[in-house]
Amino acid sequence: MNITATKKASLANLIESTNIPESLVRAVVKQMGGWESFKESAPDITRHGIDGGFGGFIYYSDTCSFAKRNRKSILEMATQQADDFGTGLVEMIKGFRCMKNSTESEIIEGLAGSTQQTTVTNGLAWYAGEEVARAYCDAFDPQ
């Protein structure tokens, strides 16, 4: 059990327990409809992925808007994670299941903010949602 698992599961404690940018944690929780909705969904997202249909992360209109608003924080988290994994950013993102049909060029364009790369932009939103859900489950060990 994680040390933070003994703490009350609160947004403040989640933010304290992770190196994900605070603004991104807050944005994911808000996108999912608030703290209670997020807490209910996080274990299922962690087990099965966010592409199964979770509020705020279903439609391209929602995911692409989210990714564009939070692009800087998503890229900060992804860059740090790629460094931690000892891989390049594009290579790491290319490994996402939802990116299997995307070319490196499309991923680079999407990372640069191209509005033409809907699949990449959507994938970045899903990545953010899954990482925040995973951080919650790691910190508070919900069943």
Side-chain angles (χ1 to χ4, degrees), residues 1 9 11 15 21 23 26 30 39-40 45 48 51 53 56 84 91 105 112 115 129-130 132 134:
M1 179 181 281
L11 180 57
I15 290 166
S23 62
R26 290 183 182 282
K30 181 179 178 183
K39 286 191 319 181
E40 283 181 26
I45 291 169
H48 306 292
D51 60 338
D84 292 347
E91 181 183 352
S105 160
T115 58
E130 287 181 359
V132 174
R134 185 174 296 109

Side-chain angles (χ1 to χ4, degrees), residues 18-29:
T18 184
N19 63 358
I20 297 171
E22 177 179 347
S23 62
L24 188 56
V25 173
R26 290 183 182 282
V28 167
V29 170

Side-chain angles (χ1 to χ4, degrees), residues 14 28-29 32-43 129 132-133 136:
L14 173 58
V28 167
V29 170
M32 293 197 73
W35 181 245
E36 292 304 316
S37 178
F38 170 78
K39 286 191 319 181
E40 283 181 26
S41 299
V132 174
Y136 170 81

Side-chain angles (χ1 to χ4, degrees), residues 59-134:
Y59 303 105
Y60 281 154
S61 59
D62 295 331
T63 59
C64 291
S65 294
F66 174 87
K68 288 173 188 170
R69 280 192 315 273
N70 296 286
R71 185 174 161 273
K72 182 179 176 185
S73 296
I74 294 169
L75 290 179
E76 179 183 332
M77 175 180 67
T79 300
Q80 182 60 55
Q81 195 172 61
D83 287 347
D84 292 347
F85 293 158
T87 188
L89 178 59
V90 174
E91 181 183 352
M92 182 184 83
I93 291 172
K94 177 76 173 147
F96 295 175
R97 184 178 63 219
C98 63
M99 301 289 187
K100 67 182 176 190
N101 295 322
S102 297
T103 67
E104 285 189 16
S105 160
E106 290 168 339
I107 292 170
I108 291 167
E109 288 175 22
L111 290 171
S114 170
T115 58
Q116 301 300 312
Q117 298 304 329
T118 305
T119 300
V120 176
T121 306
N122 178 70
L124 292 173
W126 283 355
Y127 164 67
E130 287 181 359
E131 287 302 310
V132 174
R134 185 174 296 109

